[in-house]
Amino acid sequence: MVIEIKEKAIWENRLKQLSGSIFLLEWWWGEFQKSSGREVYRLVWEKDGKARAVAKVFFQPFFGQVGYGIAMRCPLYAEYIQIVNSRRKGR
């Protein structure tokens, strides 16, 4: 199930569940994007009550209701983090 997160504490908790993050997913980065006129959507894919992936989508409107959305360096998948961490430990 995909849900939109609108509260900072909940968003940060979901990032911790994935045991990894990049600054583009941090709450403050989304707030900065909002101050630049973009709409921000923080999305979490959950399975069995746990976050399996997160993405932050920025929507930049132009020409009225037309615009584009971008999810930079996202989504962040739990399985991907596990693979990267296991490779780092194997060094």
Side-chain angles (χ1 to χ4, degrees):
M1 169 191 331
V2 178
I3 58 172
E4 182 181 359
I5 304 296
K6 295 184 179 186
E7 295 179 33
K8 180 180 179 180
I10 295 172
W11 179 253
E12 291 176 347
N13 180 271
R14 295 308 187 271
L15 290 178
K16 286 180 186 177
Q17 286 180 6
L18 293 175
S19 301
S21 182
I22 56 175
F23 83 93
L24 296 171
L25 290 174
E26 297 293 333
W27 185 268
W28 66 267
W29 184 248
E31 295 304 299
F32 173 75
Q33 294 296 322
K34 281 184 183 179
S35 72
S36 299
R38 294 178 179 92
E39 296 175 27
V40 177
Y41 301 93
R42 297 171 177 95
L43 306 175
V44 176
W45 286 262
E46 290 188 345
K47 183 176 180 182
D48 301 326
K50 292 187 178 182
R52 303 308 301 152
V54 295
K56 188 182 295 176
V57 179
F58 304 110
F59 182 76
Q60 179 66 53
F62 62 95
F63 297 118
Q65 294 183 346
V66 177
Y68 63 92
I70 186 167
M72 297 183 287
R73 310 269 304 178
C74 298
L76 182 63
Y77 291 100
E79 289 79 8
Y80 174 76
I81 293 169
Q82 291 170 351
I83 291 168
V84 170
N85 287 340
S86 67
R87 288 183 181 170
R88 287 181 180 163
K89 291 177 184 176
R91 288 183 186 176

